[in-house]
Amino acid sequence: MVLQAQEGRLTTSAARILVATAVPAERDAVARAFPDGRAEEVRLPGSAALLRTSGGYDLLAAGVGPALAAAGTATALTAAALDGRPYALVVSAGIAGGFQPEAPVGSLVVADEITAADLGAETADGFLPVTELGFGTVSHRPQNSLVRVMAQATGARPGAVLTVSTVTGTAARAAALRTRHPGALAEAMEGFGVAEAAVAHGVPVLELRAVSNPVGPRDRAAWRIGDALAALTEAFGKLVPALESWNPHDHR
């Protein structure tokens, strides 16, 4: 399939969409949103593989953390481009910690800002993002039109999703992150890596997270991973038909 616009619309039957998760459990939760249940395993260069659904969605469990997420996503994007069938959209998806009370356990968050929260340097005066050191970027902003489509279709709340290399486990670190990023709704470990790969290939990117636990003191007994995975399945069940009305040329 290749990207085709019909009356200014992108149809899922014409466009290929890559969904990158961290682990197979998240990938499989997305796969359950497709009612026919059919998926073909497609090998990528190296040891990676993705699941190709009949609806034009390729599902990739890229690994945990921003480095593996970037590498796996870039591999899939490059393979698609070399095959002459590039992706029209990349979605980083999975479970996440939610900042309370704005993102309660079981809720959905769509990133209007994908930010690397701990990419930088600690100084005597506090944390400096890598941009203030004169290097790179720490944030990507998905297209407003895409964020609106996802929010309206799934009920996800728009806000910043932080990418961290170390999961927050104390109230002090949660407070520090909120001070630096007052618009943050959730933290996860892959979104920025996925976004870096997508942007490098000129492909739009989204991040959708289902909240499995509060950000703060680590309490595994309070985590609701099963509920979050179920919410992820339900969200993609609503998102897939909604994306049929998304105009890929609308960059607002």
Side-chain angles (χ1 to χ4, degrees):
M1 290 177 291
V2 295
L3 178 61
Q4 295 178 345
Q6 295 179 355
E7 298 180 357
R9 295 187 172 190
L10 173 71
T11 63
T12 54
S13 62
R16 298 178 66 203
I17 295 175
L18 176 66
V19 180
T21 70
V23 297
E26 295 167 319
R27 177 203 61 200
D28 294 346
V30 175
R32 286 193 289 272
F34 296 88
D36 62 11
R38 289 180 296 159
E40 171 193 5
E41 184 175 276
V42 177
R43 304 300 302 181
L44 295 174
S47 59
L50 53 79
L51 295 181
R52 176 160 296 160
T53 74
S54 58
Y57 283 71
D58 286 356
L59 315 180
L60 174 69
V64 174
L68 278 176
T73 303
T75 298
L77 286 164
T78 300
L82 291 175
D83 193 37
R85 303 163 67 198
Y87 292 106
L89 174 66
V90 177
V91 182
S92 175
I95 63 176
F99 288 97
Q100 306 302 300
E102 294 87 351
V105 173
S107 67
L108 295 167
V109 173
V110 55
D112 59 12
E113 176 186 312
I114 303 170
T115 294
D118 52 12
L119 182 60
E122 292 286 353
T123 75
D125 298 320
F127 179 80
L128 288 179
V130 72
T131 49
E132 293 189 25
L133 302 175
F135 304 104
T137 185
V138 293
S139 189
H140 295 289
R141 290 186 175 274
Q143 293 179 14
N144 289 337
S145 60
L146 280 169
V147 174
R148 285 195 303 270
V149 167
M150 182 170 281
Q152 291 169 2
T154 67
R157 181 171 182 174
V161 176
L162 306 182
T163 299
V164 295
S165 295
T166 301
V167 173
T168 297
T170 66
R173 186 169 190 258
L177 287 174
R178 286 302 296 270
T179 298
R180 294 205 305 264
H181 307 280
L185 293 181
E187 71 163 28
M189 301 182 74
E190 294 79 31
F192 186 76
V194 172
E196 287 275 82
V199 169
H201 280 259
V203 180
V205 64
L206 276 174
E207 183 172 9
L208 176 67
R209 294 286 170 177
V211 177
S212 60
N213 58 279
V215 175
R218 190 172 177 83
D219 179 11
R220 288 296 299 267
W223 291 12
R224 298 291 181 265
I225 293 177
D227 293 342
L229 292 174
L232 196 63
T233 301
E234 182 178 359
F236 270 87
K238 297 174 180 177
L239 180 62
V240 170
L243 280 174
E244 293 181 0
S245 64
W246 170 57
N247 183 348
H249 305 294
D250 184 356
H251 299 289
R252 293 175 296 171

